[in-house]
Amino acid sequence: MRIVVLAGGIGGARFLRGLKRAAPDADITVIGNTGDDIHLFGLKVCPDLDTVMYTLGGGIDEEQGWGRTDETHRVKEELAAYGVGPEWFGLGDRDFATHIVRTQMLGAGYPLSAVTEALCERWQPGVRLLPMSDDRVETHVAVTLDGERRAVHFQEYWVKLRASVDAHAIVPVGAEAAKPAPGVLEAIAEADVILFPPSNPVVSIGTILAVPGIREAIADAGVPVVGLSPIVGDAPVRGMADKVLAALGVESSAAAVAEHYGSGLLDGWLVDTVDAGAVERVEAAGIRCRAVPLMMTDPAEGLAAADMARAALALAEEVRAS
Amino acid sequence: MRIVVLAGGIGGARFLRGLKRAAPDADITVIGNTGDDIHLFGLKVCPDLDTVMYTLGGGIDEEQGWGRTDETHRVKEELAAYGVGPEWFGLGDRDFATHIVRTQMLGAGYPLSAVTEALCERWQPGVRLLPMSDDRVETHVAVTLDGERRAVHFQEYWVKLRASVDAHAIVPVGAEAAKPAPGVLEAIAEADVILFPPSNPVVSIGTILAVPGIREAIADAGVPVVGLSPIVGDAPVRGMADKVLAALGVESSAAAVAEHYGSGLLDGWLVDTVDAGAVERVEAAGIRCRAVPLMMTDPAEGLAAADMARAALALAEEVRAS
């Protein structure tokens, strides 16, 4: 079975770990969000790709969900001693090495997809990890700060401001001119199932879908497309998805996110059992919907994620058989 | 008193520390060798500039003489885990930060001289540290390896091969097209004394002198030019200067190095007391010569270096008065 998964960071990575357990023989291609990539200290940092790579490769800091385990921060301390920031973005010493290798390879002329493949040779994530595009796409957030309206990098909004101010708009700068990375459209065309993990529907999966050709390829693939709600009981499972949903005028509920994707894209939708009341509304929108436990909480997270993946694959079979 | 010092790495840096003690009120400009600069992991590394900066700024690893004190090597271990080398060049985590800041600034368009000034704002070395040139100069060494003649980067010869094979030639690639960095010729023209520390006469001071205009400016400055022999008792005080002297057909002796610089450049020369027998030969070459203790050995190194600096300044006064 060939499965294509569109993934953001922590939520996507943890779901993927469950999917690998649920479908150990599947051929999994992950299309990773690169809209939250950022240049820091002259280095190219790809937070979502790295979170997937580290999580599946066994190098992740399990507690915080991103970055390397057993990490130190000497490089960053020294950069601060030089007065060079930003200080609000956490880069550990081991993590720095990844960005140094990536930046060196990009500087030598390799596209991000080739760089990602090379990095994965070390991590052996057990999936094929593709960036959504080799072209630069950068998600900016329009906010009002000190009375002035300005656009900040997504990471500045998310990490520095901690989404503490309203987002007026979310703009994946460069997306309209970006091309899907090599292999992306082919993987979608050859997929048996396409899954949207409980990643952020706006700044993770939404950004991937903003790359021209990807949304169309998924809609035209003719295979079940099943998603998992990142909203449980009207609140995001993780992060601050409600903040960026509001910028799009989408209410923060499991049903509203399904409607936002729409039945033209989505065939099946899983909501948490606490949102069982939303099933009817989602199905009314033409999307088959089931309520199952959707909390990937530690310590049973790995098992819960596998159960969620099994439920998603079962729903996909239901869609196929219908 | 305005003093200009041409400096390589460890020897130059330790001498400078002594000079600062010997002449605390002097206005010292250091013209640093950049011929041993190297690009590693996509980062610009300037070993000699950093050794001077760290030594005078109190950040040096005193024992090894280069790199940062209290250093760890996590970034490098991770790079090795990615299969990315070279492994033979020791870069610590704290040191990495310097190269990251430098590379970022160079990438933003600042010349190396401006970058060096910015780095020194943190280190406050108490001297004005100028790279010999903002242009790329890279010292290559012609060697025979596995029966084949090839050119290797100086660092590969020095650090990886540990000068274990004969050097057929030393070539400061790019030097003939390089311009002195801003301030270099001005500092020489305004100097009251010009000093050559016991740095490597070929790959440190020789490379600086290979930048068109610098040798001429020193020869024409009309002020005492005094050097200290890096060879004591026919052996280098530190490093493998004999190896690179041989490539130039210069014997490894205190007198031969003075003759190599020549009386057109050098007015005074200090040899170690064990080489007192060389004084006559050096003076016969038209260079005033004195024998004083030249070993900057720990733990009294700081004091010994200050004594050496005092002897150099005294010899400069002798030259001036003559």
Side-chain angles (χ1 to χ4, degrees):
Chain A
M1 183 165 52
R2 284 162 301 194
I3 306 175
V4 165
V5 182
L6 273 53
I10 301 177
R14 291 186 172 173
F15 174 78
L16 281 163
R17 193 157 52 182
L19 180 62
K20 280 175 61 184
R21 285 195 203 183
D25 299 325
D27 174 354
I28 302 171
T29 297
V30 178
I31 302 173
N33 171 42
T34 58
D36 61 349
D37 291 2
I38 186 167
H39 284 82
L40 294 169
F41 314 110
L43 301 172
K44 171 86 163 177
V45 180
C46 299
D48 281 1
L49 294 180
D50 287 350
T51 294
V52 170
M53 187 172 77
Y54 293 160
T55 300
L56 300 185
I60 200 78
D61 180 322
E62 291 289 349
E63 200 170 328
Q64 66 182 9
W66 52 269
R68 295 289 312 279
T69 185
D70 183 27
E71 190 55 291
T72 49
H73 295 83
R74 308 203 76 200
V75 174
K76 203 186 163 198
E77 285 161 19
E78 287 294 319
L79 291 168
Y82 277 114
V84 173
E87 299 196 29
W88 49 263
F89 200 90
L91 285 184
D93 297 329
R94 305 179 89 182
D95 198 23
F96 255 109
T98 300
H99 313 314
I100 289 171
V101 173
R102 175 185 291 122
T103 305
Q104 185 179 16
M105 285 191 71
L106 290 170
Y110 292 95
L112 182 60
S113 51
V115 174
T116 305
E117 191 181 346
L119 294 173
C120 283
E121 273 178 36
R122 171 183 176 192
W123 291 105
Q124 296 290 323
V127 300
R128 184 170 174 227
L129 177 60
L130 303 175
M132 65 188 198
S133 177
D134 279 336
D135 301 318
R136 182 167 172 172
V137 178
E138 211 170 81
T139 303
H140 286 193
V141 182
V143 292
T144 300
L145 286 178
D146 302 326
E148 260 185 78
R149 192 161 169 140
R150 50 180 287 243
V152 298
H153 190 287
F154 169 70
Q155 297 294 355
E156 190 174 347
Y157 181 72
W158 208 247
V159 180
K160 185 183 179 191
L161 300 173
R162 305 188 72 80
S164 57
V165 295
D166 288 343
H168 306 308
I170 315 288
V171 184
V173 177
E176 73 285 350
K179 292 176 297 296
V184 165
L185 296 183
E186 293 78 354
I188 293 170
E190 294 166 7
D192 298 308
V193 180
I194 298 170
L195 300 178
F196 296 180
S199 288
N200 190 303
V202 182
V203 294
S204 295
I205 295 180
T207 306
I208 300 171
L209 294 172
V211 176
I214 294 184
R215 176 187 288 272
E216 298 73 7
I218 293 171
D220 297 346
V223 297
V225 179
V226 171
L228 297 91
S229 176
I231 307 287
V232 169
D234 300 340
V237 176
R238 169 176 299 105
M240 303 151 282
D242 48 334
K243 287 287 187 172
V244 290
L245 281 167
L248 273 66
V250 177
E251 70 175 46
S252 185
S253 76
V257 173
E259 290 166 354
H260 170 64
Y261 284 130
S263 63
L265 192 67
L266 210 56
D267 302 304
W269 188 243
L270 291 179
V271 300
D272 188 74
T273 44
V274 304
D275 296 311
V279 169
E280 198 174 343
R281 174 174 159 193
V282 174
E283 297 220 315
I287 299 164
R288 191 173 289 253
C289 186
R290 294 291 173 267
V292 298
L294 287 191
M295 300 300 282
M296 294 189 287
T297 45
D298 276 327
E301 179 211 299
L303 294 173
D307 285 342
M308 286 162 56
R310 272 184 214 101
L313 293 173
L315 182 53
E317 285 315 303
E318 249 190 74
V319 167
R320 193 189 312 276
S322 69
Chain B
M1 182 165 55
R2 285 162 301 194
I3 307 175
V4 165
V5 181
L6 273 54
I10 303 178
R14 292 186 172 173
F15 173 77
L16 281 163
R17 192 155 54 181
L19 179 63
K20 280 174 63 185
R21 284 196 203 183
D25 299 325
D27 173 354
I28 303 172
T29 297
V30 178
I31 301 173
N33 171 43
T34 59
D36 61 351
D37 290 3
I38 185 165
H39 284 83
L40 293 170
F41 314 110
L43 301 172
K44 171 85 164 178
V45 180
C46 300
D48 280 1
L49 294 180
D50 287 350
T51 295
V52 170
M53 189 172 76
Y54 293 160
T55 301
L56 300 185
I60 199 81
D61 180 323
E62 291 289 349
E63 201 170 327
Q64 66 184 8
W66 53 269
R68 295 289 311 280
T69 185
D70 183 27
E71 191 55 290
T72 49
H73 296 83
R74 306 201 78 198
V75 175
K76 203 185 162 196
E77 285 161 21
E78 286 295 319
L79 291 167
Y82 278 115
V84 172
E87 298 197 29
W88 49 263
F89 200 90
L91 284 183
D93 297 329
R94 306 179 88 182
D95 198 24
F96 256 109
T98 300
H99 313 314
I100 289 170
V101 173
R102 175 185 291 123
T103 305
Q104 185 179 16
M105 286 192 71
L106 290 170
Y110 292 95
L112 183 61
S113 50
V115 174
T116 305
E117 192 180 346
L119 295 173
C120 283
E121 273 178 35
R122 170 181 177 195
W123 290 104
Q124 297 289 324
V127 301
R128 185 170 173 224
L129 177 60
L130 302 175
M132 65 189 199
S133 176
D134 280 335
D135 301 318
R136 181 165 172 173
V137 178
E138 212 171 80
T139 303
H140 287 193
V141 182
V143 293
T144 300
L145 286 178
D146 302 325
E148 260 186 77
R149 192 161 169 141
R150 51 180 285 244
V152 298
H153 189 287
F154 170 69
Q155 297 292 356
E156 190 175 346
Y157 181 72
W158 208 247
V159 180
K160 185 183 180 191
L161 300 174
R162 305 188 72 80
S164 58
V165 295
D166 287 343
H168 305 309
I170 315 288
V171 184
V173 178
E176 72 286 348
K179 290 175 298 297
V184 165
L185 297 183
E186 294 79 354
I188 293 171
E190 293 166 6
D192 297 308
V193 179
I194 298 170
L195 300 179
F196 295 179
S199 289
N200 190 302
V202 181
V203 294
S204 295
I205 295 178
T207 306
I208 301 172
L209 294 172
V211 176
I214 294 185
R215 176 187 287 273
E216 298 74 5
I218 294 172
D220 296 346
V223 297
V225 178
V226 172
L228 296 90
S229 176
I231 306 287
V232 169
D234 299 341
V237 175
R238 168 178 299 105
M240 303 151 282
D242 48 333
K243 288 286 187 171
V244 290
L245 280 166
L248 274 66
V250 177
E251 71 176 44
S252 186
S253 77
V257 173
E259 289 166 353
H260 170 65
Y261 284 130
S263 63
L265 191 67
L266 210 57
D267 302 305
W269 188 243
L270 291 178
V271 299
D272 188 73
T273 43
V274 303
D275 295 311
V279 170
E280 197 174 346
R281 175 173 158 194
V282 174
E283 298 220 315
I287 299 165
R288 192 173 290 252
C289 187
R290 295 289 173 267
V292 298
L294 287 192
M295 299 300 280
M296 295 189 287
T297 45
D298 277 325
E301 178 212 299
L303 294 173
D307 285 342
M308 286 163 57
R310 272 184 214 102
L313 293 173
L315 182 54
E317 285 315 303
E318 247 190 78
V319 167
R320 193 190 311 277
S322 69

